[in-house]
Amino acid sequence: MARPGPLRSLLLAGASTLVLSAVKAPHAAAQSVDYGALEQVFGEPVTTSATGKPQKVSEAPVTMEIITQDDIRRSGADNLPDVLQFVSGVDVRRDAFGDADVGIRGYNQAANPHLLVLVNGRQVYFDDYGVVAWNTIPVELDEIRQIEIVKGPNSALFGFNAASGVINIITYDPLGDSVNSVTAQTGTQSLAEGSAITTVHAYDVAGLRISAGGYLASEFYHPDAYGQVPEPERGSLSADGKAKLAPGVELELSASKSSSQTYNEIPAGILLSENWRTNSVGTQLAADTQYGLINLNAYHNGLAFDLPLLHSPETDDVYVVQASDLFKLSADHTLRVGVEYRNNTGQSSATSIFGGTIGYSLWAGSLMWNWDITPDLSLTNAVRVDSVFLGKSGPTVFGPYLPNGLTLADYDRSFTAESFNSGLVYKVTDRDTLRLMAARGLQAPSLVDFGYVVNGNPDVNPTIVGNYELGYDRDVPGLGSTLRTSLFYQTQTDVIGGLYDERPVLTPIGPVGLIDNIGSSHELGLELGVKGHSESGFRWFANYSFASVTDDLAIARTDPPTTNLDYQHGTPEHTVKFGGGYSIGKWEFDSAARWESSWTDYKLFVPVLPPGTPLLSAVRVANYLSINARIGYKLTERLTLSGTAEQFNQARIVTSNGLPTERRFLAKITAQF
Amino acid sequence: MGLGGRHVWLRHLLTASLGALALALPMRVARAATLTPKDVLILGRIFGFLDPAVAADGVVAVVYADGNDASRKDAEAIAGYFGDGLKVGTATLKPKLVDVAALGDGAGFVAIIAAQGASGAAVMAAAKAHNIVCASGEVDQVQAGKCIVAIRSDPKVEITLNRAAASAANVGFAAAFRMMIHEF
């Protein structure tokens, strides 16, 4: 297994030298991708999350949604999953106060491994379990410029785990934007929450934004909880600095720390107390050169994770170095060439989760080609190839054999995986846009899938996600609205089985069960959405999502169940979301509702029950309606008071096998300066 | 399960959607050639992507065709859209009406805006002489190399750049901006 070493330093130094030597003679361009300035020109959000090229969202060759800072504020939400829950095609299952899983187009599950989440392009997805712990993401809601949600696989740009979709959280630019605010919030569940953000600028050449935030609260009602139930809490500190080194050249440095203590649902289907400590440090160099827009990006993510009940502390380290060049080959052809090196390592004691160390290094190359065939017709093709080199170290238990009956030599595995995205965008009229898309995405096995001490399997393959999609958008200026529709067919092959889906293997130390690929699944889906506003201050949205999943997995469906892997019954078929708002003078009024049809989840009961009692039990999540409302009042130019009622229509709703989600009332004061 | 089976209604919906789309095909809105107040506002923002950037306050020549009343009225309207001046970063740009015959080599101007019918050799000559951008609402004139950049903001912002004209005038834009516009 490759470890952090001089190679990365050498690569970074060499590439930096190359870029600085190629910078054009005096250029005074704005930042490489100035989201704010470009949005002001084009009158709509700009994204790079579709192809790596800056694009108007309406022209991106993917189906995507943008949540703006205004949307975040008006939602009244105090956490990211609650902000995301009203987006078409996005599923949110809340298991406890501080634990929620977010899925795109179904396939959502506890510790959902299908979704890639990034903050300014840096992954906040953890490779150990293949999970996003939303409570640990070191970003405050007030420092977010926009949240970009790409639906469907986008591995050709982002690599592994951009399988069901990508959520890229874009914060304000420390150099071009000035965000200074303090918030204090309280509410039910004994909530005490606050955040502070400040930005300082040194003339026009350097900027630094520092943010901090956190909360203390009481857990939802939990009479039947297993183990110790912690009081949920979160703390976060981050700094993001950017400087102009030369005209057209910017260097960004960022660092963050966060901590989270929550009652969290683990993949086995049970809530346990979890402690998370994360840290990150990264640097990015962007240069507008005669060879195009060159980006060098390097970062390290660190995680210390513990399930106190199971005494299984582990650490996870990810090092990533990325380089890309985006350039126009001619008036109609744009290319993006990228390379990436990644090294991740999961480490634990000899008797704990990994039984030592597991990890892989990865080399990837990618190419994106965008062809403006006519001003109204464009074709984008992107491909990426990932080569993975797996390795493991740790004590063996019976001679050369690990507890799973394999040898360390069995982990000397390498494999190559390919992904692509292809999209045709046709502006049929000034009001109508048609998109035709096809993609092959990849979901990597987690480090637990590869190397869990008792059932990890080095031979498990990535899940391949195919997506075939037709999208149609229509602007309806008379209503100030845009209608967006998507019809898609998705396939998943080599689905990675869970803890309960082990393949029995006879090894020299006896029979063992190994995590394995267990079959396929496919989905037919439809999304219809409309969003608009009027000059008089009204705004509205409504969307409907349909998802029909069919599993073809090599597992037996029994009663009582023997597995909790069930995408077919675990995905709500129908979801309806709608809402509206009105701004008048110093007041803002908003309300949003979400209705979800019923689905099935699975819960693990602890083995202290009488013999013969089934471990797993199906939990029917009945269809439910949840309604939120917020009122905001601008007390002065700098002070805003707001009150939010979340799920005010019901005191408790079962939204998963976890703790029923409770009604919340929040009061917040925000000072901006 | 594919498109058949349990969800036949989806197939009908798809068919109906494509039918509605086909009916919509011929409806392309004619593009206005004159600049609107919104166009001029966005032009100021576009100037913010010039490379090298506009560093100080300056004057924009709003050029009209010699002896063409309609063109002059268009130029007067454009100049009126400047209000107190176009903000470009920390700089403020003021308009000045100029008869194209009196434009000369464009000395003293940081940019040219060509009113209806004003684009042409004289404008491009001035742009080349002082490496200044020429902007217009007439896409066909930009395509013909008689101006450098065209803007249209309704129903959506569309910006067109003539690469050869920009190169001839040595006018550059930030790379990210160029990724988002139509070039030819």
Side-chain angles (χ1 to χ4, degrees), chain B residues 13-39:
Chain B
L13 183 63
L14 177 61
T15 307
S17 302
L18 290 174
L21 181 65
L23 289 174
L25 283 178
M27 298 189 299
R28 183 162 280 283
V29 176
R31 302 183 177 204
T34 187
L35 292 171
T36 65
K38 187 178 174 188
D39 292 339

PDB file of all heavy atoms in Angstrom, chain B residues 13-39:
ATOM      1  N   LEU B  13     -46.962   9.483 -21.100  1.00  0.00           N
ATOM      2  CA  LEU B  13     -46.543  10.827 -20.705  1.00  0.00           C
ATOM      3  C   LEU B  13     -45.356  11.281 -21.539  1.00  0.00           C
ATOM      4  O   LEU B  13     -45.274  12.422 -22.001  1.00  0.00           O
ATOM      5  CB  LEU B  13     -46.187  10.830 -19.213  1.00  0.00           C
ATOM      6  CG  LEU B  13     -45.804  12.187 -18.620  1.00  0.00           C
ATOM      7  CD1 LEU B  13     -46.975  13.163 -18.702  1.00  0.00           C
ATOM      8  CD2 LEU B  13     -45.374  12.034 -17.174  1.00  0.00           C
ATOM      9  N   LEU B  14     -44.404  10.362 -21.737  1.00  0.00           N
ATOM     10  CA  LEU B  14     -43.226  10.685 -22.539  1.00  0.00           C
ATOM     11  C   LEU B  14     -43.630  11.036 -23.963  1.00  0.00           C
ATOM     12  O   LEU B  14     -43.144  12.018 -24.542  1.00  0.00           O
ATOM     13  CB  LEU B  14     -42.270   9.488 -22.538  1.00  0.00           C
ATOM     14  CG  LEU B  14     -41.016   9.645 -23.391  1.00  0.00           C
ATOM     15  CD1 LEU B  14     -40.178  10.814 -22.899  1.00  0.00           C
ATOM     16  CD2 LEU B  14     -40.190   8.364 -23.369  1.00  0.00           C
ATOM     17  N   THR B  15     -44.551  10.236 -24.522  1.00  0.00           N
ATOM     18  CA  THR B  15     -45.006  10.489 -25.884  1.00  0.00           C
ATOM     19  C   THR B  15     -45.669  11.858 -25.981  1.00  0.00           C
ATOM     20  O   THR B  15     -45.405  12.643 -26.903  1.00  0.00           O
ATOM     21  CB  THR B  15     -46.013   9.395 -26.303  1.00  0.00           C
ATOM     22  OG1 THR B  15     -45.412   8.126 -26.082  1.00  0.00           O
ATOM     23  CG2 THR B  15     -46.400   9.546 -27.762  1.00  0.00           C
ATOM     24  N   ALA B  16     -46.520  12.160 -24.991  1.00  0.00           N
ATOM     25  CA  ALA B  16     -47.209  13.450 -24.999  1.00  0.00           C
ATOM     26  C   ALA B  16     -46.217  14.596 -24.866  1.00  0.00           C
ATOM     27  O   ALA B  16     -46.333  15.630 -25.525  1.00  0.00           O
ATOM     28  CB  ALA B  16     -48.225  13.497 -23.860  1.00  0.00           C
ATOM     29  N   SER B  17     -45.185  14.407 -24.034  1.00  0.00           N
ATOM     30  CA  SER B  17     -44.184  15.454 -23.838  1.00  0.00           C
ATOM     31  C   SER B  17     -43.440  15.740 -25.126  1.00  0.00           C
ATOM     32  O   SER B  17     -43.200  16.889 -25.504  1.00  0.00           O
ATOM     33  CB  SER B  17     -43.181  15.033 -22.763  1.00  0.00           C
ATOM     34  OG  SER B  17     -43.859  14.782 -21.574  1.00  0.00           O
ATOM     35  N   LEU B  18     -43.039  14.664 -25.811  1.00  0.00           N
ATOM     36  CA  LEU B  18     -42.301  14.848 -27.065  1.00  0.00           C
ATOM     37  C   LEU B  18     -43.183  15.513 -28.118  1.00  0.00           C
ATOM     38  O   LEU B  18     -42.716  16.324 -28.906  1.00  0.00           O
ATOM     39  CB  LEU B  18     -41.780  13.500 -27.566  1.00  0.00           C
ATOM     40  CG  LEU B  18     -40.655  12.910 -26.712  1.00  0.00           C
ATOM     41  CD1 LEU B  18     -40.296  11.513 -27.201  1.00  0.00           C
ATOM     42  CD2 LEU B  18     -39.429  13.800 -26.742  1.00  0.00           C
ATOM     43  N   GLY B  19     -44.491  15.169 -28.097  1.00  0.00           N
ATOM     44  CA  GLY B  19     -45.425  15.798 -29.034  1.00  0.00           C
ATOM     45  C   GLY B  19     -45.516  17.292 -28.777  1.00  0.00           C
ATOM     46  O   GLY B  19     -45.460  18.107 -29.697  1.00  0.00           O
ATOM     47  N   ALA B  20     -45.635  17.660 -27.505  1.00  0.00           N
ATOM     48  CA  ALA B  20     -45.712  19.078 -27.151  1.00  0.00           C
ATOM     49  C   ALA B  20     -44.437  19.797 -27.551  1.00  0.00           C
ATOM     50  O   ALA B  20     -44.452  20.931 -28.030  1.00  0.00           O
ATOM     51  CB  ALA B  20     -45.943  19.216 -25.653  1.00  0.00           C
ATOM     52  N   LEU B  21     -43.326  19.096 -27.386  1.00  0.00           N
ATOM     53  CA  LEU B  21     -42.032  19.677 -27.757  1.00  0.00           C
ATOM     54  C   LEU B  21     -41.965  19.945 -29.255  1.00  0.00           C
ATOM     55  O   LEU B  21     -41.506  20.995 -29.709  1.00  0.00           O
ATOM     56  CB  LEU B  21     -40.925  18.715 -27.346  1.00  0.00           C
ATOM     57  CG  LEU B  21     -39.507  19.163 -27.637  1.00  0.00           C
ATOM     58  CD1 LEU B  21     -39.185  20.394 -26.817  1.00  0.00           C
ATOM     59  CD2 LEU B  21     -38.529  18.047 -27.322  1.00  0.00           C
ATOM     60  N   ALA B  22     -42.458  18.982 -30.026  1.00  0.00           N
ATOM     61  CA  ALA B  22     -42.437  19.139 -31.483  1.00  0.00           C
ATOM     62  C   ALA B  22     -43.252  20.356 -31.911  1.00  0.00           C
ATOM     63  O   ALA B  22     -42.854  21.106 -32.809  1.00  0.00           O
ATOM     64  CB  ALA B  22     -42.990  17.884 -32.147  1.00  0.00           C
ATOM     65  N   LEU B  23     -44.362  20.587 -31.232  1.00  0.00           N
ATOM     66  CA  LEU B  23     -45.187  21.756 -31.554  1.00  0.00           C
ATOM     67  C   LEU B  23     -44.449  23.054 -31.245  1.00  0.00           C
ATOM     68  O   LEU B  23     -44.671  24.088 -31.875  1.00  0.00           O
ATOM     69  CB  LEU B  23     -46.496  21.703 -30.756  1.00  0.00           C
ATOM     70  CG  LEU B  23     -47.490  20.620 -31.190  1.00  0.00           C
ATOM     71  CD1 LEU B  23     -48.664  20.587 -30.220  1.00  0.00           C
ATOM     72  CD2 LEU B  23     -47.994  20.900 -32.616  1.00  0.00           C
ATOM     73  N   ALA B  24     -43.556  22.997 -30.287  1.00  0.00           N
ATOM     74  CA  ALA B  24     -42.861  24.213 -29.867  1.00  0.00           C
ATOM     75  C   ALA B  24     -41.680  24.547 -30.774  1.00  0.00           C
ATOM     76  O   ALA B  24     -41.138  25.644 -30.724  1.00  0.00           O
ATOM     77  CB  ALA B  24     -42.360  24.049 -28.433  1.00  0.00           C
ATOM     78  N   LEU B  25     -41.264  23.608 -31.607  1.00  0.00           N
ATOM     79  CA  LEU B  25     -40.024  23.749 -32.356  1.00  0.00           C
ATOM     80  C   LEU B  25     -39.885  25.041 -33.175  1.00  0.00           C
ATOM     81  O   LEU B  25     -38.836  25.665 -33.131  1.00  0.00           O
ATOM     82  CB  LEU B  25     -39.842  22.537 -33.281  1.00  0.00           C
ATOM     83  CG  LEU B  25     -39.370  21.268 -32.596  1.00  0.00           C
ATOM     84  CD1 LEU B  25     -39.284  20.132 -33.608  1.00  0.00           C
ATOM     85  CD2 LEU B  25     -38.032  21.474 -31.919  1.00  0.00           C
ATOM     86  N   PRO B  26     -40.921  25.466 -33.926  1.00  0.00           N
ATOM     87  CA  PRO B  26     -40.691  26.602 -34.813  1.00  0.00           C
ATOM     88  C   PRO B  26     -40.620  27.955 -34.104  1.00  0.00           C
ATOM     89  O   PRO B  26     -40.305  28.943 -34.739  1.00  0.00           O
ATOM     90  CB  PRO B  26     -41.921  26.570 -35.745  1.00  0.00           C
ATOM     91  CG  PRO B  26     -42.667  25.326 -35.421  1.00  0.00           C
ATOM     92  CD  PRO B  26     -42.279  24.946 -34.058  1.00  0.00           C
ATOM     93  N   MET B  27     -40.906  28.006 -32.815  1.00  0.00           N
ATOM     94  CA  MET B  27     -41.081  29.301 -32.165  1.00  0.00           C
ATOM     95  C   MET B  27     -39.770  29.894 -31.681  1.00  0.00           C
ATOM     96  O   MET B  27     -39.433  29.830 -30.498  1.00  0.00           O
ATOM     97  CB  MET B  27     -42.031  29.145 -30.989  1.00  0.00           C
ATOM     98  CG  MET B  27     -43.414  28.686 -31.385  1.00  0.00           C
ATOM     99  SD  MET B  27     -44.550  28.777 -30.013  1.00  0.00           S
ATOM    100  CE  MET B  27     -43.804  27.678 -28.840  1.00  0.00           C
ATOM    101  N   ARG B  28     -38.991  30.441 -32.564  1.00  0.00           N
ATOM    102  CA  ARG B  28     -37.779  31.117 -32.115  1.00  0.00           C
ATOM    103  C   ARG B  28     -38.006  32.617 -32.196  1.00  0.00           C
ATOM    104  O   ARG B  28     -38.456  33.143 -33.206  1.00  0.00           O
ATOM    105  CB  ARG B  28     -36.587  30.703 -32.975  1.00  0.00           C
ATOM    106  CG  ARG B  28     -35.303  31.315 -32.520  1.00  0.00           C
ATOM    107  CD  ARG B  28     -34.126  30.573 -33.073  1.00  0.00           C
ATOM    108  NE  ARG B  28     -33.843  29.356 -32.330  1.00  0.00           N
ATOM    109  CZ  ARG B  28     -33.241  29.342 -31.146  1.00  0.00           C
ATOM    110  NH1 ARG B  28     -32.886  30.453 -30.568  1.00  0.00           N
ATOM    111  NH2 ARG B  28     -32.994  28.208 -30.537  1.00  0.00           N
ATOM    112  N   VAL B  29     -37.691  33.278 -31.120  1.00  0.00           N
ATOM    113  CA  VAL B  29     -37.978  34.706 -31.031  1.00  0.00           C
ATOM    114  C   VAL B  29     -36.955  35.502 -31.844  1.00  0.00           C
ATOM    115  O   VAL B  29     -35.764  35.228 -31.795  1.00  0.00           O
ATOM    116  CB  VAL B  29     -37.932  35.155 -29.551  1.00  0.00           C
ATOM    117  CG1 VAL B  29     -38.116  36.651 -29.423  1.00  0.00           C
ATOM    118  CG2 VAL B  29     -38.997  34.414 -28.757  1.00  0.00           C
ATOM    119  N   ALA B  30     -37.440  36.480 -32.607  1.00  0.00           N
ATOM    120  CA  ALA B  30     -36.531  37.325 -33.372  1.00  0.00           C
ATOM    121  C   ALA B  30     -35.654  38.132 -32.414  1.00  0.00           C
ATOM    122  O   ALA B  30     -36.104  38.568 -31.361  1.00  0.00           O
ATOM    123  CB  ALA B  30     -37.335  38.264 -34.259  1.00  0.00           C
ATOM    124  N   ARG B  31     -34.391  38.324 -32.780  1.00  0.00           N
ATOM    125  CA  ARG B  31     -33.461  38.976 -31.883  1.00  0.00           C
ATOM    126  C   ARG B  31     -33.411  40.483 -32.158  1.00  0.00           C
ATOM    127  O   ARG B  31     -33.230  40.909 -33.290  1.00  0.00           O
ATOM    128  CB  ARG B  31     -32.073  38.365 -32.043  1.00  0.00           C
ATOM    129  CG  ARG B  31     -32.115  36.879 -31.763  1.00  0.00           C
ATOM    130  CD  ARG B  31     -30.764  36.247 -31.829  1.00  0.00           C
ATOM    131  NE  ARG B  31     -30.917  34.827 -31.462  1.00  0.00           N
ATOM    132  CZ  ARG B  31     -29.940  34.082 -30.980  1.00  0.00           C
ATOM    133  NH1 ARG B  31     -28.753  34.580 -30.813  1.00  0.00           N
ATOM    134  NH2 ARG B  31     -30.153  32.819 -30.683  1.00  0.00           N
ATOM    135  N   ALA B  32     -33.566  41.258 -31.108  1.00  0.00           N
ATOM    136  CA  ALA B  32     -33.520  42.703 -31.274  1.00  0.00           C
ATOM    137  C   ALA B  32     -32.092  43.136 -31.542  1.00  0.00           C
ATOM    138  O   ALA B  32     -31.145  42.569 -31.018  1.00  0.00           O
ATOM    139  CB  ALA B  32     -34.045  43.357 -30.014  1.00  0.00           C
ATOM    140  N   ALA B  33     -31.916  44.156 -32.382  1.00  0.00           N
ATOM    141  CA  ALA B  33     -30.578  44.606 -32.743  1.00  0.00           C
ATOM    142  C   ALA B  33     -30.122  45.772 -31.892  1.00  0.00           C
ATOM    143  O   ALA B  33     -28.938  45.982 -31.714  1.00  0.00           O
ATOM    144  CB  ALA B  33     -30.547  44.986 -34.218  1.00  0.00           C
ATOM    145  N   THR B  34     -31.065  46.498 -31.346  1.00  0.00           N
ATOM    146  CA  THR B  34     -30.677  47.650 -30.538  1.00  0.00           C
ATOM    147  C   THR B  34     -30.411  47.229 -29.098  1.00  0.00           C
ATOM    148  O   THR B  34     -30.902  46.197 -28.647  1.00  0.00           O
ATOM    149  CB  THR B  34     -31.783  48.721 -30.581  1.00  0.00           C
ATOM    150  OG1 THR B  34     -31.305  49.889 -29.924  1.00  0.00           O
ATOM    151  CG2 THR B  34     -33.048  48.225 -29.898  1.00  0.00           C
ATOM    152  N   LEU B  35     -29.613  48.018 -28.405  1.00  0.00           N
ATOM    153  CA  LEU B  35     -29.289  47.678 -27.025  1.00  0.00           C
ATOM    154  C   LEU B  35     -30.371  48.185 -26.089  1.00  0.00           C
ATOM    155  O   LEU B  35     -30.886  49.297 -26.260  1.00  0.00           O
ATOM    156  CB  LEU B  35     -27.939  48.288 -26.643  1.00  0.00           C
ATOM    157  CG  LEU B  35     -26.721  47.683 -27.352  1.00  0.00           C
ATOM    158  CD1 LEU B  35     -25.464  48.505 -27.065  1.00  0.00           C
ATOM    159  CD2 LEU B  35     -26.508  46.246 -26.908  1.00  0.00           C
ATOM    160  N   THR B  36     -30.675  47.389 -25.105  1.00  0.00           N
ATOM    161  CA  THR B  36     -31.669  47.769 -24.102  1.00  0.00           C
ATOM    162  C   THR B  36     -30.936  48.252 -22.849  1.00  0.00           C
ATOM    163  O   THR B  36     -29.722  48.044 -22.714  1.00  0.00           O
ATOM    164  CB  THR B  36     -32.535  46.555 -23.736  1.00  0.00           C
ATOM    165  OG1 THR B  36     -31.692  45.587 -23.097  1.00  0.00           O
ATOM    166  CG2 THR B  36     -33.178  45.936 -24.975  1.00  0.00           C
ATOM    167  N   PRO B  37     -31.661  48.859 -21.933  1.00  0.00           N
ATOM    168  CA  PRO B  37     -30.997  49.254 -20.673  1.00  0.00           C
ATOM    169  C   PRO B  37     -30.313  48.070 -19.982  1.00  0.00           C
ATOM    170  O   PRO B  37     -29.219  48.208 -19.444  1.00  0.00           O
ATOM    171  CB  PRO B  37     -32.160  49.795 -19.831  1.00  0.00           C
ATOM    172  CG  PRO B  37     -33.165  50.262 -20.826  1.00  0.00           C
ATOM    173  CD  PRO B  37     -33.049  49.323 -21.995  1.00  0.00           C
ATOM    174  N   LYS B  38     -30.967  46.910 -20.039  1.00  0.00           N
ATOM    175  CA  LYS B  38     -30.370  45.726 -19.405  1.00  0.00           C
ATOM    176  C   LYS B  38     -29.094  45.317 -20.131  1.00  0.00           C
ATOM    177  O   LYS B  38     -28.103  44.930 -19.506  1.00  0.00           O
ATOM    178  CB  LYS B  38     -31.385  44.580 -19.409  1.00  0.00           C
ATOM    179  CG  LYS B  38     -30.944  43.364 -18.627  1.00  0.00           C
ATOM    180  CD  LYS B  38     -32.030  42.309 -18.654  1.00  0.00           C
ATOM    181  CE  LYS B  38     -31.572  41.016 -18.002  1.00  0.00           C
ATOM    182  NZ  LYS B  38     -32.554  39.932 -18.192  1.00  0.00           N
ATOM    183  N   ASP B  39     -29.131  45.414 -21.475  1.00  0.00           N
ATOM    184  CA  ASP B  39     -27.924  45.078 -22.242  1.00  0.00           C
ATOM    185  C   ASP B  39     -26.749  45.957 -21.805  1.00  0.00           C
ATOM    186  O   ASP B  39     -25.618  45.486 -21.632  1.00  0.00           O
ATOM    187  CB  ASP B  39     -28.163  45.306 -23.737  1.00  0.00           C
ATOM    188  CG  ASP B  39     -29.153  44.328 -24.343  1.00  0.00           C
ATOM    189  OD1 ASP B  39     -29.352  43.252 -23.752  1.00  0.00           O
ATOM    190  OD2 ASP B  39     -29.722  44.643 -25.398  1.00  0.00           O
TER     191      ASP B  39
END
